[in-house]
């Protein structure tokens, strides 16, 4: 494997913040600092930073902290300019002992942290507008779902506390929401009922509006997933949302080095839990829980609708496995399958 210092003559480390970024150019062969400068986080400031770096270190690589947060805009500009970008991890507190901390020190540390690392093993930030769109849509979806749930819970609590003629002992149905959203003020209501009815109408309409937003969100996810990984949605049980989660976790070729690494990321890698004469594995509660939940959604769908999956479940239960064990095994198998599928079909 080729290390960064053998491939690049210079590495630029970047310590990112909300208002300014600090840049330090390091000689890859010696680790010596050539020059350091700070630029404001504006379009003009980033243009000046890239011009400054190009004049002092042509053909450099960049090690950027916070490529998905404060350094996201800079990362996009560097990639558009053809610069190889590595994701630099912030130094541990123990590593700072005796060296102190400043923006310049952190920028130099970011550059030096990648010099001796093989380029194939270093994390590189995701690129591509569709991948970024997927992340934005998934983030927006979580927010909309959370807000819709809060509105439904508030509406249910209101209907249980004030008599408005709605049976709210169970979760409200879509028909009940439509009915409440079309209510009008009633002259016979008490003061409390009048206020409660107005609030119920508002909450019901907001729940409906958020439902429309989620439907539009799902349509956009379907479009991007189909473009990025043709054929993924044809897999049994995989829909636009779970497909988007799989692509967002896999991100791009080279980020996940193997099937086992993808399963570990998903929390689907088995954990030994043997003792004495008992030989078993248990559920893994680590890793990306959103990815794990997406795997579980697909597994449950296949258990409900796919005869082959049900036959596998019955065979393993006959061997002494529990239903939970079977779902764990299916998640592990599915993680391997998704990794292979994305590796073969995901567009660069």
């Amino acid at each position: 494997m080729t290390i960064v210092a053998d491939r690049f003559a210079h590495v630029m480390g970047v310590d990112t913040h909300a208002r300014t970024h600090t840049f330090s150019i390091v000689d890859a062969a010696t680790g010596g600092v050539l020059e350091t400068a700070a630029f404001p986080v504006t379009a003009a400031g980033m243009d000046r930073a890239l011009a400054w770096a190009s004049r002092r270190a042509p053909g450099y690589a960049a090690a950027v902290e916070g490529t998905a947060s404060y350094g996201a805009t800079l990362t996009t500009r560097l990639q558009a300019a053809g610069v190889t970008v590595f994701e630099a991890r912030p130094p541990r507190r123990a590593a700072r002992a005796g060296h102190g901390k400043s923006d310049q020190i952190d920028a130099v540390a970011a550059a030096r942290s990648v010099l001796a690392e093989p380029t194939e093993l270093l994390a590189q930030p995701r690129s591509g507008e569709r991948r970024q769109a997927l992340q934005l849509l998934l983030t927006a979806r979580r927010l909309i779902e959370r807000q819709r749930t809060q509105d439904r819970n508030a509406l249910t609590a209101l209907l249980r506390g004030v008599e408005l003629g709605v049976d709210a002992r169970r979760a409200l149905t879509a028909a009940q929401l439509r009915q409440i959203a079309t209510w009008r003020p009633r002259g016979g209501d008490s003061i409390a009922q009048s206020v409660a009815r107005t609030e119920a109408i508002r909450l019901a309409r907001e729940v409906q509006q958020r439902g429309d937003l989620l439907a539009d969100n799902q349509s956009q996810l379907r479009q991007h997933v189909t473009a990025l990984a043709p054929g993924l949605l044809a897999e049994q049980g995989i829909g636009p949302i779970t497909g988007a989660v799989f692509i967002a976790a896999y991100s791009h070729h080279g980020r996940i080095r193997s099937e086992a690494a993808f399963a570990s990321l998903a929390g689907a890698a088995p954990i030994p839990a043997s003792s004495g004469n008992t030989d078993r594995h248990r559920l893994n509660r680590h890793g990306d829980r959103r990815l794990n939940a997406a795997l579980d959604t697909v597994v449950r769908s296949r258990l409900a609708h796919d005869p082959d999956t049900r036959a596998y479940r019955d065979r393993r239960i006959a061997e002494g496995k529990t239903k939970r064990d079977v779902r764990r095994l299916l998640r592990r198998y599915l993680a391997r399958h998704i990794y292979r599928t994305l590796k073969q079909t995901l567009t660069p």
Side-chain angles (χ1 to χ4, degrees):
M1 293 185 180
T2 305
I3 65 173
V4 173
D6 290 337
R7 182 177 171 187
F8 300 96
H10 302 92
V11 174
M12 180 177 70
V14 188
D15 182 41
T16 59
H17 294 280
R19 295 184 178 181
T20 62
H21 296 339
T22 301
F23 301 76
S24 288
I25 297 176
V26 170
D27 184 275
T30 64
V33 180
L34 300 183
E35 196 164 347
T36 298
F39 296 92
V41 183
T42 62
M46 293 302 94
D47 289 340
R48 286 166 49 205
L50 266 62
W52 171 85
S54 298
R55 288 195 302 269
R56 285 155 179 79
Y60 64 93
V64 182
E65 287 187 7
T67 57
S69 54
Y70 289 140
T73 301
L74 172 64
T75 299
T76 301
R77 284 177 172 267
L78 287 168
Q79 290 175 331
V83 177
T84 300
V85 183
F86 301 113
E87 187 171 345
R89 305 296 184 188
R92 297 174 181 267
R93 181 173 297 180
R96 291 196 176 112
H99 299 284
K101 173 177 170 40
S102 70
D103 293 346
Q104 179 176 343
I105 291 173
D106 287 348
V108 173
R112 289 174 176 170
S113 68
V114 303
L115 293 179
E117 298 295 328
T119 56
E120 296 85 354
L121 300 182
L122 281 171
Q124 292 183 295
R126 59 178 55 89
S127 60
E129 292 185 357
R130 286 194 182 275
R131 288 175 175 79
Q132 186 177 14
L134 276 185
Q135 282 288 359
L136 293 173
L137 287 169
L138 288 172
T139 300
R141 187 175 190 85
R142 286 200 302 272
L143 178 60
I144 297 169
E145 287 176 335
R146 186 182 305 119
Q147 292 170 335
R148 185 179 66 164
T149 300
Q150 291 173 348
D151 289 340
R152 289 184 71 103
N153 291 342
L155 178 58
T156 302
L158 184 150
L159 294 172
R160 288 174 178 173
V162 180
E163 176 55 47
L164 294 176
V166 177
D167 184 0
R169 292 175 295 176
R170 295 183 179 180
L172 296 174
T173 64
Q176 287 176 312
L177 285 170
R178 287 194 297 270
Q179 176 190 358
I180 296 169
T182 59
W183 279 354
R184 294 293 183 270
R186 293 186 181 180
D189 284 345
S190 66
I191 295 176
Q193 285 178 322
S194 177
V195 173
R197 190 178 298 277
T198 301
E199 185 66 8
I201 294 170
R202 182 186 68 82
L203 289 171
R205 289 176 178 175
E206 288 191 359
V207 170
Q208 289 183 322
Q209 290 171 359
R210 298 193 198 287
D212 294 339
L213 290 174
L214 289 173
D216 181 64
N217 177 280
Q218 182 170 336
S219 176
Q220 293 184 65
L221 286 174
R222 180 183 297 276
Q223 174 187 350
H224 294 304
V225 169
T226 302
L228 282 169
L232 182 63
L233 297 184
E235 296 276 347
Q236 175 73 37
I238 299 180
I241 301 167
T242 52
V245 172
F246 294 148
I247 293 175
Y250 181 88
S251 184
H252 55 273
H253 299 306
R255 177 175 185 256
I256 311 295
R257 66 181 182 276
S258 66
E259 296 175 4
F262 188 71
S264 180
L265 174 67
I271 295 179
S274 303
S275 178
N277 295 326
T278 302
D279 184 14
R280 61 179 292 271
H281 293 78
R282 69 170 178 84
L283 293 173
N284 187 340
R285 304 190 185 280
H286 303 282
D288 184 336
R289 304 317 298 169
R290 184 178 68 176
L291 176 58
N292 187 275
L295 290 173
D296 191 64
T297 298
V298 176
V299 164
R300 289 179 183 273
S301 174
R302 292 186 176 185
L303 285 171
H305 304 289
D306 183 35
D308 292 337
T309 305
R310 290 200 297 269
Y312 174 83
R313 175 198 60 194
D314 296 339
R315 185 172 69 253
R316 297 311 296 261
I317 288 177
E319 295 173 357
K321 299 289 186 182
T322 66
K323 290 183 178 180
R324 177 177 287 187
D325 290 335
V326 173
R327 288 201 304 272
R328 173 182 61 77
L329 292 168
L330 286 171
R331 281 197 296 270
R332 177 69 175 90
Y333 163 80
L334 180 62
R336 294 169 56 192
H337 177 70
I338 294 298
Y339 174 83
R340 292 195 298 266
T341 300
L342 292 177
K343 190 173 183 178
Q344 294 171 1
T345 63
L346 189 68
T347 57

